[in-house]
Amino acid sequence: MTITTGAGDIDRRLLMDRSVPRRVAFTVPDSDVPFQKLPDSSYLRDDVELPEVSQLEVVRYFSVLSQLNFSIDTNFYPLGSCTMKYNPKINDELANLPGLADIHPLQPEETVQGAIRLLKSLQDDLGEITGLPGVSLAPLAGAQGEYAGLLITRAYHAARNDAERTVAIVPDSAHGTNPASAAMAGLEVATVRSDDHGNVDVENLRELADGRTAVFMLTIPSTMGLFEPNILEIIKIIHDAGGLVYADGANLNALLGIVKLGDLGVDICHSNLHKTFSTPHGGGGPGSGPVMVTDELAKYLPKPVAEKTENGYVLAIPEASIGPINGFHGSFSIAARAYAYIKSLGLEGLQSVSENAIIGANYIQAKLKDKYDLAADRYCMHEAVLSASRQKKRGVAGLDIAKRLLDFGIHAPTMYFPLIIEEALMVEPTESESRETLDHFIAVMRQIDDEIDSTPELIHEAPHDLPVTRLDEAKAARKPVLRWTAEG
Ligand SMILES: *Cc1c(COP(=O)(O)O)cnc(C)c1O
């Protein structure tokens, strides 16, 4: 047998395939407590095949596994609408301080004054940033923030004996959670069209807004990565019709320190701490989507809301609260990370975050627009929405480009969203990437465009060098294999 060498040879065997009978990773010390009877043998299974491996094998297995995925700590990750920005490590350090990490949600309030004060301070900062001073940190995700905001809308109309208002108007470019949250909150969804420039079609909105309008949900900046130029007029149309304006501020990355949603006339918004405020995300959580409202609506906020009283900090229930929307106070350790982020930047620093995010996206747009169509040929905000429609005509779809980018160590941009843009590739570089990284991305995107004419098979078969190569998308959707089984 010949043994070949290769520095890049990484052992990618499954843990099960490393198993050797009776090998162990850990030896339990002799028991120093009285022996307990085993459970009835009918509860014990002997058909569970478990790997028998040494501790070193386990460490190697998980260390390799942790490297097989893309993450913001390993790769450029321009996933539009998801704001994969750098998660500063000082945030983790702060959140892991024993006074913040080793506390329990049911502990008496007087023993966790510092933690509640942190929540109050974060509430105040989010109120200041959005111009909407009533804040609850309870929602565990952006979608839950939307849901809370829509329940607040319903409570507001119900309190005014205006319960006929059951329609949520949502733009056709909206994030899918918007209509879904509206439906969950018991509202009917009416879709307003976008015009040729990607803005809300104001005339269409005028036709839709009436005595049944409960709320209009607008993503700001829009999912096209654009600032809505008619925003003041739009808000006036909705207010004149008696409805409330909800801003989806999941991605406030373009507006920090520049625009306050409350100043525009927005009544309610949410923001994702796991996007705009640099807390980690992916893998299903933990997330955090605080909901912010005007003073008038603050009494409806979900509980709890941190408050300062004469007797110190308390977790209060607002007067006409929609109630709890989950257990306890939301994602505390995530709130602590966002607090660290905001405090370490200060309001001025936050403004430069947005300025740099906007410059980065516009730089990419300007450097690629001769090769790729733009969703809208004007300055964008923090994300550039490209279209691969010209490439599609030459035989390479947006999906193929996204797959080929993986070969260059770049995570795919968001694809086929917003839905109204053909072959959409939504690129969000964020403020945390360097000029060199952006230049590398631009060069790769230009090279892929050249490859369409020279070596299209390279694109069609990509990715070539990843642990998982090209998937059968249809089969993956129809017959997903969701867990590992011994049979393989
Ligand atoms: C991500 C996102 C949401 C949903 O946030 P989750 O935390 O995933 O529930 C809502 N709206 C917009 C515009 C988003 O980008």
Side-chain angles (χ1 to χ4, degrees), residues 369-390:
K369 73 180 194 180
D370 61 320
K371 295 265 185 192
Y372 293 84
D373 285 345
L374 303 181
D377 192 359
R378 62 188 225 215
Y379 287 122
C380 61
M381 300 213 67
H382 62 298
E383 48 201 6
V385 183
L386 310 176
S387 161
S389 51
R390 261 191 271 167

Side-chain angles (χ1 to χ4, degrees), residues 269-303:
C269 78
H270 83 271
S271 188
N272 285 13
L273 300 186
H274 51 286
K275 291 180 184 171
T276 309
F277 297 97
S278 86
T279 68
H281 79 162
S288 178
V291 59
M292 276 69 73
V293 298
T294 56
D295 273 327
E296 188 190 357
L297 296 173
K299 62 179 177 214
Y300 301 114
L301 284 169
K303 73 166 215 175

Side-chain angles (χ1 to χ4, degrees), residues 310-456:
E310 282 168 16
N311 303 322
Y313 291 91
V314 297
L315 291 167
I317 306 177
E319 177 195 329
S321 175
I322 57 165
I325 52 165
N326 52 57
F328 307 118
H329 349 77
S331 301
F332 179 77
S333 78
I334 295 301
R337 284 172 172 80
Y339 172 87
Y341 181 68
I342 292 171
K343 292 300 182 203
S344 58
L345 284 165
L347 281 185
E348 238 169 71
L350 287 177
Q351 184 175 336
S352 65
V353 161
S354 285
E355 287 165 356
N356 287 320
I358 294 169
I359 289 170
N362 278 285
Y363 181 67
I364 286 178
Q365 185 171 283
K367 293 275 187 185
L368 287 178
K369 73 180 194 180
D370 61 320
K371 295 265 185 192
Y372 293 84
D373 285 345
L374 303 181
D377 192 359
R378 62 188 225 215
Y379 287 122
C380 61
M381 300 213 67
H382 62 298
E383 48 201 6
V385 183
L386 310 176
S387 161
S389 51
R390 261 191 271 167
Q391 286 71 19
K392 178 89 185 278
K393 289 196 193 90
R394 290 153 62 210
V396 159
L399 174 81
D400 300 314
I401 296 170
K403 296 284 185 198
R404 182 67 176 137
L405 279 169
L406 300 172
D407 280 337
F408 297 93
I410 297 171
H411 191 279
T414 295
M415 296 179 291
Y416 301 116
F417 179 78
L419 304 172
I420 52 176
I421 301 301
E422 194 194 341
E423 297 297 318
L425 290 173
M426 186 193 233
V427 182
E428 180 180 354
T430 85
E431 73 287 354
S432 46
E433 296 298 339
S434 66
R435 165 87 185 265
E436 292 72 31
T437 302
L438 302 189
D439 283 335
H440 173 63
F441 173 74
I442 290 161
V444 169
M445 285 293 281
R446 298 185 72 86
Q447 180 178 322
I448 295 175
D449 183 72
D450 291 342
E451 286 175 357
I452 298 176
D453 304 320
S454 58
T455 45

Side-chain angles (χ1 to χ4, degrees), residues 92-103:
D92 298 330
E93 245 174 76
L94 182 121
N96 283 326
L97 290 174
L100 299 180
D102 299 343
I103 54 178

Side-chain angles (χ1 to χ4, degrees), residues 81 141-143 146 175 177-178 219 248 250-251 270 272 274-275:
S81 184
E146 291 168 25
H175 193 268
T177 50
N178 289 191
T219 303
D248 180 336
N251 315 287
H270 83 271
N272 285 13
H274 51 286
K275 291 180 184 171

